Amino acid sequence: KLTEAFTDTHPRVKASAEEALDEISKVIRNPEIASISPILLKALIDPATGTLNGLETLIETEFLHAIDAPSLALIVPVLHRGLRDRAATTKRYGALIAGNICTMIHDPRDFVPYLSTLLPDLKSVLLDPIPDVRSTAAKALGSLSRGLGEDTFPELRPWLIETLQAEGGSSVERSGAAQGLTEVLIAGGAGLVEDVMLEEILPLKSHPKPGTREGVLWVLTFMPASLGQGFASLIDPSLPALLSGLADEVESVRDVALRAGRVLVRSQGKPHIDKILPPLENGLSDDDYRIRVASLTLLGDLLGMLGGTKVVKGDADTQDDVRAAERAQAQIALVLGSDTRKRLLSRLYLTRSDTAAVVRQISVQVWKTVVSVTPRTLREILPVLVGQIVDALASGHPEQTEVAGRCLGDIVGKLGDAVLPEIMPVLQAALSSGDEHTRRGVCVGLSEIINCSSKDQISKYLAILVKSVQDALCDEDNGVREMAALCFQGLYGLVGSRALDEVVPVLLSSMESEDEDEKVRAVNGLTGILSIRSRELLPYLIPRLMTKPITKSHADALGQIAAVTGSTLHMHFSTIIPGLISELASFYGREVDGEEKPREDAIRECSRAVCGSVDEIGVNWLISEAASSCGSDKESLRKESCVMLQVIVEERENDFYEQ
């Protein structure tokens, strides 16, 4: 009330107020306050010029005696003015003194009457735009809660949580409320922190309002560093909130989640690496590229902290960068152990081939931070890396399969001859024992290996590659065969007809096998090659399939081959059609039974497949060849020629109606 009198327009009122304050200062028993009372009185009489000086004097004073009630009466108005000042420094000094005052008074209850004056000011300062001011105000609230007990402020914690969730509030206000709540909870003890976090704060991580989700993450930004090792029990419950925040649809929420993650890594990374590392590893293969980016960023911070270095920006090719990476690599191996280090570096190297450019960029930066010589490290981690690549190839996930294939090609490009003998047996084993997803993935890997290898390398390991491609071409799964055909295409592009010479004779030989499964696999392989190389292979293949007598297996094979060679098959009708008519005519006039009946049925089905598969451009060729035997002097040939024409009409019905 006296301070209000200083603003009165009547000079006698102001003079009386000064006299009253002077009388109050005479009853102060604290010698330190008594010595600076003239400065404090000046701050009250002329707040515009004296408040900052008064606060600075209070901060600089070394108190050896407890502050009594009359001293508080002199100090609190100065604090009140300081907390309401526009200058950031003045507000910060006011909050600093207000927080420490409980430690300097004899009886904390003497300060309670002033809370109604100072608490609204501290709340206002807690939401200040300047981070340092907010931090000081938050610590002041924590100190007051610790000194006076939270029961003295029954409305403080609800107000902080409400401000944290306020949809109309700014990110700055939520940050201040989170920092204040952190300090108040820590002042109440570990039990209170855990109860409030688990029951009130963390359940809000999936709240429909983005402001509330952001508020939860702001609490996780301040809590780990402030609580220290006491946060260990909250790491597991907090990680889901962090990870969901990293994938949030709202950018501001994702930014705060990344900030909270970096704080968690810095404050809890070393002592609790076993809890923090697994989610970061899993995040590297997440479907959402934003989580992959965030996981890489946090992993870079963690590895940099373990290795005593920082994630490099740019090329990192200087001698200092290389030496720093050497030291970091040794330190990380010491902390993580050999197995974990190899697994982690393998996951990291895989992300260098990610489909998202930003992921690849960050991955390369993190890799260069902890790896000095890439080829040497690749040789060390190669078995683990190849295992992870095969797992990714077998995942059935298109993006992961593509990344793994790219990575495999990159390894071959870097290590060449040194890596192929180690990779190929693993791929061959996966091809023979895995499910269809694994086999498809292996084909993607084989294709990348072929595309990234030189002609000399392919020639050197042609036998191994051909065996794998051949097995894939003969696979029972159509998707595997299609991918294997692309592998064969790449192989043919590098070594030419050698690829045909290595594969086709083996498949033709298998077609004569008594094992039906082997026959089917051989036909699958041939149709796969023909689907992309029919011009080169048909002249080699047709004469062998049309050798008389045409066997059932050859007839079946020709029918399946026709289905994938419709665009080029007509160029061989001069051999195929007369051969089929002649073979069918051989059954004319005699009783067909036993093994001959299935052979006849197979040849007739083959004829129907040929007629139905040929492209429109070859229909005239087909009719011409079929009709050429209509004038034969042999009844059997004339009959089968007419039957062939009937089949053509049945199979090409649309072509005739269109004409």
Side-chain angles (χ1 to χ4, degrees):
K1 294 297 183 182
L2 284 175
T3 56
E4 294 174 5
F6 291 132
T7 60
D8 199 277
T9 56
H10 201 288
R12 292 184 64 181
V13 175
K14 292 176 65 176
S16 298
E18 290 180 17
E19 290 176 7
L21 277 177
D22 190 53
E23 291 299 321
I24 291 174
S25 67
K26 291 178 181 178
V27 299
I28 292 173
R29 294 191 299 272
N30 182 283
E32 290 83 14
I33 296 296
S35 65
I36 62 172
S37 60
I39 299 174
L40 298 178
L41 289 173
K42 186 175 184 300
L44 295 174
I45 295 168
D46 186 11
T49 60
T51 300
L52 181 59
N53 187 37
L55 294 173
E56 288 176 339
T57 303
L58 280 169
I59 290 174
E60 292 170 358
T61 302
E62 184 178 352
F63 287 91
L64 301 176
H65 303 82
I67 296 177
D68 53 1
S71 300
L72 284 176
L74 199 59
I75 293 172
V76 169
V78 179
L79 297 181
H80 179 57
R81 293 286 179 87
L83 290 170
R84 294 194 168 194
D85 199 87
R86 290 185 178 181
T89 302
T90 308
K91 287 187 283 191
R92 187 164 57 83
Y93 285 169
L96 182 63
I97 296 168
N100 290 332
I101 205 163
C102 283
T103 62
M104 297 184 290
I105 55 181
H106 179 68
D107 188 353
R109 287 175 296 180
D110 292 341
F111 191 66
V112 173
Y114 300 104
L115 287 177
S116 59
T117 302
L118 293 181
L119 195 56
D121 298 335
L122 285 171
K123 287 180 179 179
S124 177
V125 174
L126 184 66
L127 308 182
D128 193 85
I130 299 174
D132 195 28
V133 175
R134 295 198 302 270
S135 176
T136 307
K139 290 176 181 175
L141 289 174
S143 297
L144 290 175
S145 296
R146 192 177 293 106
L148 301 176
E150 194 181 0
D151 294 340
T152 312
F153 316 93
E155 298 179 359
L156 179 58
R157 180 150 47 98
W159 176 81
L160 290 170
I161 295 177
E162 181 183 344
T163 306
L164 202 65
Q165 302 181 63
E167 193 61 30
S170 67
S171 184
V172 167
E173 292 174 350
R174 282 189 282 271
S175 169
Q179 202 164 2
L181 180 63
T182 297
E183 295 294 342
V184 168
L185 292 179
I186 291 174
L192 179 65
V193 172
E194 192 164 336
D195 290 344
V196 173
M197 288 294 292
L198 295 178
E199 295 175 12
E200 297 184 46
I201 303 300
L202 291 177
L204 299 174
K205 69 179 184 296
S206 54
H207 197 277
K209 294 181 178 179
T212 301
R213 300 196 299 272
E214 183 184 329
V216 173
L217 294 166
W218 274 119
V219 174
L220 293 178
T221 301
F222 297 111
M223 187 68 75
S226 300
L227 199 57
Q229 295 307 307
F231 191 75
S233 61
L234 291 172
I235 291 178
D236 288 338
S238 300
L239 283 173
L242 273 177
L243 295 175
S244 62
L246 291 172
D248 200 276
E249 59 186 12
V250 180
E251 185 177 2
S252 61
V253 178
R254 296 197 301 270
D255 291 343
V256 179
L258 182 58
R259 184 195 293 252
R262 301 187 92 156
V263 170
L264 180 66
V265 166
R266 285 196 298 268
S267 60
Q268 309 291 327
K270 280 188 177 179
H272 302 291
I273 193 169
D274 57 320
K275 294 182 178 180
I276 294 175
L277 188 57
L280 297 185
E281 281 191 77
N282 294 335
L284 296 181
S285 55
D286 195 273
D287 290 346
D288 192 330
Y289 84 94
R290 291 184 294 237
I291 289 189
R292 300 201 298 275
V293 169
S295 298
L296 267 175
T297 303
L298 297 177
L299 184 61
D301 289 348
L302 180 60
L303 293 178
M305 183 177 63
L306 295 179
T309 185
K310 292 182 179 179
V311 175
V312 297
K313 307 292 182 184
D315 293 336
D317 291 330
T318 66
Q319 286 298 320
D320 289 341
D321 291 329
V322 172
R323 282 194 289 269
E326 284 278 7
R327 291 193 297 271
Q329 197 167 357
Q331 188 63 30
I332 289 169
L334 188 64
V335 174
L336 297 180
S338 177
D339 292 344
T340 304
R341 169 183 164 272
K342 289 179 180 178
R343 186 186 73 242
L344 190 59
L345 289 180
S346 298
R347 296 293 292 272
L348 183 59
Y349 196 82
L350 261 174
T351 59
R352 289 175 51 135
S353 302
D354 198 272
T355 53
V358 64
V359 176
R360 296 197 299 271
Q361 181 182 7
I362 298 174
S363 178
V364 169
Q365 291 175 349
V366 176
W367 177 267
K368 288 184 176 181
T369 302
V370 296
V371 173
S372 55
V373 183
T374 295
R376 183 180 67 194
T377 304
L378 278 179
R379 290 188 184 93
E380 291 177 11
I381 66 173
L382 190 60
V384 179
L385 179 56
V386 171
Q388 290 185 7
I389 288 173
V390 171
D391 290 342
L393 291 172
S395 65
H397 191 290
E399 193 171 2
Q400 290 185 22
T401 302
E402 181 182 352
V403 170
R406 283 185 184 178
C407 184
L408 194 55
D410 183 54
I411 296 171
V412 172
K414 282 188 169 64
L415 300 182
D417 292 350
V419 71
L420 282 174
E422 296 190 39
I423 290 178
M424 291 309 302
V426 178
L427 294 181
Q428 280 183 310
L431 195 60
S432 61
S433 60
D435 59 13
E436 67 271 14
H437 294 306
T438 303
R439 301 196 300 275
R440 290 180 188 180
V442 169
C443 288
V444 173
L446 287 172
S447 182
E448 288 291 338
I449 289 174
I450 292 167
N451 292 336
C452 295
S453 299
S454 66
K455 184 175 181 179
D456 291 340
Q457 289 172 335
I458 292 294
S459 299
K460 188 174 181 180
Y461 297 99
L462 185 61
I464 303 176
L465 286 167
V466 162
K467 179 64 171 69
S468 299
V469 173
Q470 179 182 309
D471 289 344
L473 283 169
C474 299
D475 198 272
E476 61 188 18
D477 183 75
N478 187 51
V480 176
R481 294 198 300 273
E482 289 178 359
M483 293 182 178
L486 296 177
C487 293
F488 186 85
Q489 175 86 322
L491 202 59
Y492 185 88
L494 283 172
V495 298
S497 60
R498 285 184 62 191
L500 291 173
D501 295 339
E502 292 282 347
V503 175
V504 174
V506 177
L507 296 179
L508 288 174
S509 174
S510 298
M511 286 179 60
E512 304 301 328
S513 171
E514 296 181 359
D515 187 340
E516 288 299 323
D517 289 339
E518 189 172 349
K519 287 182 182 179
V520 171
R521 286 174 57 82
V523 173
N524 287 341
L526 287 172
T527 53
I529 299 173
L530 285 165
S531 65
I532 57 170
R533 283 290 164 189
S534 59
R535 286 184 180 274
E536 292 84 354
L537 185 55
L538 280 178
Y540 181 90
L541 194 60
I542 293 299
R544 287 164 175 76
L545 293 178
M546 297 304 298
T547 302
K548 293 184 179 181
I550 298 175
T551 63
K552 179 180 181 301
S553 60
H554 282 188
D556 291 338
L558 183 58
Q560 293 185 48
I561 286 170
V564 295
T565 58
S567 61
T568 56
L569 191 65
H570 61 276
M571 291 186 285
H572 302 275
F573 278 167
S574 60
T575 302
I576 296 173
I577 302 303
L580 291 175
I581 291 175
S582 172
E583 198 70 15
L584 289 170
S586 67
F587 297 106
Y588 182 74
R590 61 190 181 91
E591 187 176 344
V592 180
D593 56 4
E595 294 182 359
E596 288 292 281
K597 181 60 176 171
R599 189 169 76 89
E600 180 188 5
D601 293 342
I603 296 172
R604 293 196 181 278
E605 284 300 318
C606 173
S607 301
R608 187 170 291 277
V610 169
C611 294
S613 300
V614 65
D615 285 358
E616 186 177 345
I617 193 175
V619 173
N620 287 337
W621 294 36
L622 176 63
I623 295 173
S624 175
E625 289 294 339
S628 64
S629 298
C630 288
S632 173
D633 57 352
K634 293 183 179 180
E635 182 183 350
S636 60
L637 290 177
R638 295 197 303 273
K639 174 181 178 295
E640 291 302 332
S641 180
C642 292
V643 171
M644 179 76 74
L645 289 171
Q646 178 186 351
V647 171
I648 293 172
V649 173
E650 291 173 354
E651 293 296 323
R652 314 298 304 191
E653 184 177 355
N654 292 334
D655 293 336
F656 287 104
Y657 280 137
E658 287 174 3
Q659 293 175 9

